[in-house]
């Protein structure tokens, strides 16, 4: 679940930061199971981040936004998602 996010990510998704909190992270993916699969295979904080290319993210049926995402774990074991916006079509 989303424990925190920066204001830029919330604005990029077109939603308030407060509404994102406590939402399942994998539920932000529009189609597919890429986030769910990466979360299952994500190691500990010492492992390298995993990258998901050109993933469509949205909040509860909103307009999809496309990003390359990096997922890793912090020292407390929480998942960190870093999204880098990209165009829908290269």
């Amino acid at each position: 679940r989303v424990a925190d996010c920066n204001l830029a990510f919330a604005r990029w998704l077109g939603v308030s930061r407060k509404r994102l909190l406590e939402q399942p992270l994998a539920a932000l993916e529009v189609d597919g199971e890429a986030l769910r699969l990466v979360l299952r295979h994500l190691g500990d904080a010492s492992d390298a981040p995993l990258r998901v290319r050109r993933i469509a993210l949205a909040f509860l049926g909103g307009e999809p936004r496309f990003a390359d995402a990096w997922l890793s774990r912090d020292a407390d074991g929480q998942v960190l998602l870093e999204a880098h916006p990209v165009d829908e079509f290269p």
Side-chain angles (χ1 to χ4, degrees):
R1 297 202 173 268
V2 176
D4 198 8
C5 75
N6 65 26
L7 188 57
F9 182 72
R11 284 185 178 164
W12 179 72
L13 284 178
V15 66
S16 72
R17 182 184 162 277
K18 185 177 179 180
R19 290 195 62 203
L20 274 174
L21 300 181
E22 296 304 317
Q23 294 299 315
L25 185 59
L28 295 178
E29 185 173 7
V30 174
D31 289 318
E33 302 253 335
L35 277 179
R36 201 173 320 275
L37 291 172
V38 169
L39 290 171
R40 282 190 203 136
H41 294 96
L42 199 57
D44 59 28
S46 65
D47 290 344
L50 297 178
R51 184 177 188 182
V52 180
R53 292 181 155 263
R54 230 174 225 8
I55 189 168
L57 300 173
F59 179 75
L60 298 177
E63 189 68 28
R65 307 279 190 249
F66 295 85
D68 285 348
W70 291 90
L71 290 103
S72 61
R73 289 203 187 272
D74 67 11
D76 295 329
Q78 293 186 350
V79 174
L80 301 173
L81 167 70
E82 184 178 329
H84 297 264
V86 295
D87 293 331
E88 180 177 1
F89 301 105

